[in-house]
Amino acid sequence: MQAKEETCWSLDDFDVGRPLGKGKFGNVFISREKKTKRIIALKVLFKSQLLQLGVSHQLKREIEIQYHLRHPNILTLYGYFHDDKRVFVILDYASRGELFNVLQAQQGHKVSEVIAARFVRQLANALKYCHSKGVIHRDIKPENLLLDSKLNLKLADFGWSVVADHSKRHTLCGTMDYLAPEMVSNQPHDFNVDIWAIGILLFEMLVGFAPFANQTGDKLIARIKECKIYIPSTVSDGAASLINAIIKKEPSERLPLNDIMAHPWIKEMQENEEVEVQKFLVTLTK
Ligand SMILES: Clc1ccc(CN2CCN(c3c(Br)cnc4[nH]c(-c5ccc(CN6CCOCC6)cc5)nc34)CC2)cc1
């Protein structure tokens, strides 16, 4: 469906189906656009909730930012409309759902190194595009990474993103596991917070849990600031070297996106990716 400029959408344009998931501010329903029969995801948010929780600015920013991003690894936001009680956001439908649930369904909550390398490469690609437009996502985590029918990763939920500027944002946001040290100590932060999250994600996909998981509150903050992680020997040397090159306390020392995508382990894993993807798709329940 082409995102026609200044289209006036309304609920009458859609057949709304089952809920795909529930969030704090509303629900997402699988839906079909009547004219084109296109399947989409319709995010329905209650204005009362948005006002009560003071997150209307976040929704506005999510829509403004995501609407202007067009990339194969970013979930497309086609448009939005509202009635007196609700705001409706029209989004791409990712048929395999959240990476979070796919990981939960795996033995040991982890995936093979080939699959993990594919997701890291696609996420780095999406972030390279975002950062080139001055957008920092700031909430990279398995819940915000969706998968389509071909197992392509789609970066979603720009509710915590910002357009970087020199004032360097200070608001603390997102869940703690993925927060970079400079964010937990509420220091100025920049694009490198997204790079940090790629390292945490790679660790979690290969080990089955995040490096600072099972910690809470101040202990968790202390562990993140200490920035020491223990990588089990089940993780290959190539993958471990990439994780260690990204998980650096000093933001400017983290491996840049181009070097992540060109890393020898990423390149090595790409060799038999197609076969692994087909095998992995068969294991996912329909
Ligand atoms: Cl306001 C709000 C409400 C809920 C949420 C949490 N999710 C955010 C992502 N949502 C989806 C979006 Br946006 C776009 N495409 C999707 N596709 C799916 C999806 C697709 C398929 C399934 C079914 N599973 C797929 C994997 O095999 C087992 C069955 C489950 C979810 N969820 C979304 C679903 C809801 C975030 C914000």
Side-chain angles (χ1 to χ4, degrees), residues 20-23 26 28 41 45 91-98 146 285:
L20 289 167
K22 300 189 182 311
V28 176
L45 304 137
L91 293 154
D92 240 349
Y93 169 66
S95 66
R96 297 281 178 181
E98 297 172 11
L146 302 176
T285 51

Side-chain angles (χ1 to χ4, degrees), residues 16-267:
V16 180
R18 68 179 175 82
L20 289 167
K22 300 189 182 311
K24 275 192 293 277
F25 317 125
N27 305 327
V28 176
F29 298 89
I30 190 167
S31 303
R32 184 176 54 197
E33 203 270 316
K34 288 174 180 169
K35 278 198 207 74
T36 61
K37 300 264 178 285
R38 178 75 186 260
I39 299 293
I40 53 103
L42 193 63
K43 188 188 264 191
V44 183
L45 304 137
F46 289 95
K47 288 183 178 176
S48 57
Q49 280 274 58
L50 294 170
L51 290 169
Q52 207 177 353
L53 297 163
V55 289
S56 308
H57 67 287
Q58 219 173 297
L59 176 66
K60 279 199 200 90
R61 198 161 57 201
E62 174 182 354
I63 293 171
E64 267 153 30
I65 289 178
Q66 201 167 346
Y67 181 74
H68 292 98
L69 298 176
R70 293 278 187 275
H71 185 279
N73 297 118
I74 294 177
L75 197 76
T76 305
L77 189 153
Y78 292 104
Y80 75 99
F81 56 94
H82 61 94
D83 63 17
D84 54 341
K85 289 194 171 28
R86 297 164 293 184
V87 179
F88 301 86
V89 185
I90 309 160
L91 293 154
D92 240 349
Y93 169 66
S95 66
R96 297 281 178 181
E98 297 172 11
L99 173 59
F100 177 83
N101 294 322
V102 168
L103 287 175
Q104 291 299 321
Q106 300 305 308
Q107 195 69 30
H109 301 168
K110 50 192 177 182
V111 293
S112 70
E113 297 213 348
V114 173
I115 298 298
R118 171 188 174 84
F119 291 156
V120 163
R121 193 183 71 246
Q122 291 183 338
L123 176 55
N125 233 325
L127 287 172
K128 185 174 175 198
Y129 173 81
C130 290
H131 294 179
S132 71
K133 297 218 169 220
V135 174
I136 314 173
H137 187 278
R138 301 202 308 173
D139 195 18
I140 307 283
K141 55 185 179 181
E143 296 88 325
N144 290 341
L145 301 173
L146 302 176
L147 297 169
D148 73 4
S149 57
K150 297 192 181 72
L151 210 70
N152 290 311
L153 178 139
K154 302 277 183 180
L155 178 55
D157 199 339
F158 285 74
W160 290 100
S161 61
V162 286
V163 181
D165 59 15
H166 309 295
S167 67
K168 294 223 181 202
R169 294 275 182 286
H170 295 274
T171 44
L172 201 54
C173 62
T175 55
M176 302 286 273
D177 276 344
Y178 279 70
L179 286 188
E182 62 273 21
M183 283 183 90
V184 295
S185 44
N186 222 347
Q187 297 304 312
H189 52 274
D190 60 13
F191 301 102
N192 291 304
V193 300
D194 285 342
I195 305 228
W196 170 275
I198 294 178
I200 303 294
L201 177 75
L202 178 52
F203 180 102
E204 176 163 358
M205 290 193 290
L206 295 179
V207 178
F209 50 81
F212 306 115
N214 320 324
Q215 309 286 337
T216 48
D218 295 346
K219 263 201 81 178
L220 171 59
I221 290 179
R223 286 285 311 283
I224 292 174
K225 285 162 115 176
E226 193 195 341
C227 202
K228 277 196 183 54
I229 59 172
Y230 163 69
I231 302 176
S233 56
T234 48
V235 175
S236 73
D237 293 348
S241 85
L242 180 52
I243 293 170
N244 286 319
I246 296 173
I247 302 295
K248 298 277 189 195
K249 187 174 174 65
E250 173 48 48
S252 60
E253 285 180 15
R254 292 169 200 159
L255 203 62
L257 291 170
N258 285 339
D259 299 325
I260 292 175
M261 291 188 278
H263 191 275
W265 176 74
I266 292 284
K267 289 291 159 208

